[in-house]
């Protein structure tokens, strides 16, 4: 049976927590993009001069 040392496990836990932090930051960034895109859809949806393809309800 193979066991890991406490130090190795702590290092992996730190790496995992750092990765989780990066994923959360990416998710926040993507959420910001989604909000901006929804605002654009709303704006174009009410704009009669916008191209027809851009006024479709997504």
């Amino acid at each position: 049976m193979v066991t890991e040392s406490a130090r190795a496990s702590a290092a992996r836990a730190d790496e995992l927590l750092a990765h989780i932090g990066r994923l959360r930051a990416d998710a926040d960034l993507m959420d910001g993009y989604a909000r901006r895109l929804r605002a654009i859809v709303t704006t174009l949806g009410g704009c009669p001069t916008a191209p027809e393809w851009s006024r479709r309800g997504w």
Side-chain angles (χ1 to χ4, degrees):
M1 181 171 159
V2 177
T3 60
E4 294 184 24
S5 69
R7 188 171 33 179
S9 295
R12 285 194 179 143
D14 289 344
E15 289 174 15
L16 183 58
L17 289 173
H19 187 66
I20 290 168
R22 289 188 299 272
L23 289 173
R24 284 185 178 151
D26 287 348
D28 289 343
L29 187 62
M30 296 301 290
D31 183 58
Y33 292 150
R35 290 175 191 271
R36 289 172 59 191
L37 286 170
R38 283 189 212 106
I40 291 168
V41 166
T42 300
T43 300
L44 291 176
C47 181
T49 59
E52 178 62 35
W53 60 264
S54 68
R55 289 185 273 136
R56 289 187 208 133
W58 299 93

